[in-house]
Amino acid sequence: MIAIDHGRTRRTTLVATICALAVAGAALLTGCGGDDPDAGTNGVGKLPPDRIQAKTRAAADTARAVRLSGTVVTSGLTYTLDMRLKSGGGTGSVTSKGGTFRLLRVGKQLYLKADADFWHHSGDTSAAGKLDDKYVKVPQGDPAYRKFSGFTDKDVLLGGLLTLHGKLAAAGHHDQAGTRTIRITGDNGSGGTLDVSLDGTPYPLRLVRAGSAGTLTFSDWGKDFPAAEPAKSETVDYGRQLPGS
């Protein structure tokens, strides 16, 4: 009769179990990223910078809607934006030189809404009370229309923003509000930097514009929102060039 060393058997089983767990853990770590920062991503991080830029531009162009917020510096003025945009219009707030107003565009019709102080500082003291907190129709021939309609146009605004200048380069893996990104730069950052999502669709998530011309974040890609013309009781037709245009 053969004697069985139960203690040795238990030790052998324990060692085998530990080894199996170690192997499984290593495999799990490799599957979750391990030494490869692009493991489990959409793969754009492995592409050349020009291909990354092309893919993120295409993703932005085909998205149904987007929300953007941050600052844009143009013509010497800084505008702080919080806008929601889609192909048929846009809505949101704009702040410049201490004054805040809302923009709403439905089709080709642009509305501007602000309080009495805004209109007072714009130069129309007599009508400030009438225009207070009302949607004012902006005539299409008014300078204000040309100036602000672009802030409500997804294609125009993103087309002018999502281009880096100079030689493109990859600048490593980063994180934007909990989403993994690959960063690309133009001329080592002087031509702008763009963070592109590595999770799901390669949408642009953060842009630092060239020449200190502002920083913008992008969110709510593809999420629709209501954009309808305001009720007549909420609307004033100024009928001529807006004050301060």
Side-chain angles (χ1 to χ4, degrees), residues 65 158 240:
L158 295 185
R240 54 188 174 87

Side-chain angles (χ1 to χ4, degrees), residues 158-235:
L158 295 185
L161 291 174
L162 297 178
T163 299
L164 301 178
H165 303 281
K167 184 178 180 180
L168 298 181
H173 292 70
H174 297 267
D175 179 278
Q176 176 61 33
T179 299
R180 293 174 294 175
T181 66
I182 182 70
R183 180 172 297 171
I184 56 175
T185 66
D187 279 347
N188 295 317
S190 62
T193 69
L194 184 64
D195 280 43
V196 178
S197 176
L198 287 174
D199 296 334
T201 305
Y203 290 124
L205 298 183
R206 183 175 183 268
L207 170 71
V208 179
R209 300 183 70 203
S212 301
T215 300
L216 290 164
T217 58
F218 307 90
S219 61
D220 292 346
W221 285 104
K223 294 184 180 180
D224 198 9
F225 59 92
E229 292 194 26
K232 290 185 177 180
S233 60
E234 301 178 285
T235 307

Side-chain angles (χ1 to χ4, degrees), residues 24-188:
L28 181 61
L29 287 174
T30 302
C32 292
D35 295 330
D36 183 1
D38 291 301
T41 71
N42 55 26
V44 297
K46 296 181 179 181
L47 300 177
D50 59 333
R51 291 281 308 282
I52 297 174
Q53 179 170 252
K55 278 188 170 292
T56 199
R57 283 292 300 271
D61 288 344
T62 57
R64 185 176 183 180
V66 65
R67 180 175 185 174
L68 65 84
S69 58
T71 58
V72 171
V73 181
T74 180
S75 301
L77 293 175
T78 299
Y79 297 95
T80 301
L81 309 179
D82 186 2
M83 302 295 302
R84 302 194 70 177
L85 309 172
K86 58 183 177 180
S87 59
T91 183
S93 66
V94 180
T95 300
S96 181
K97 295 191 293 186
T100 298
F101 55 93
R102 294 194 62 81
L103 292 173
L104 168 64
R105 184 178 62 82
V106 182
K108 292 185 178 181
Q109 183 59 63
L110 178 67
Y111 299 89
L112 190 153
K113 182 178 182 180
D115 60 18
D117 285 341
F118 174 88
W119 293 112
H120 180 83
H121 287 98
S122 294
D124 194 337
T125 57
S126 61
K130 176 185 176 183
L131 303 177
D132 179 37
D133 207 31
K134 295 286 188 180
Y135 284 100
V136 179
K137 285 186 177 181
V138 182
Q140 293 187 30
D142 191 283
Y145 188 96
R146 296 191 296 272
K147 187 174 185 178
F148 296 130
S149 62
F151 286 157
T152 65
D153 191 314
K154 174 180 174 287
D155 294 336
V156 169
L157 190 57
L158 295 185
L161 291 174
L162 297 178
T163 299
L164 301 178
H165 303 281
K167 184 178 180 180
L168 298 181
H173 292 70
H174 297 267
D175 179 278
Q176 176 61 33
T179 299
R180 293 174 294 175
T181 66
I182 182 70
R183 180 172 297 171
I184 56 175
T185 66
D187 279 347
N188 295 317

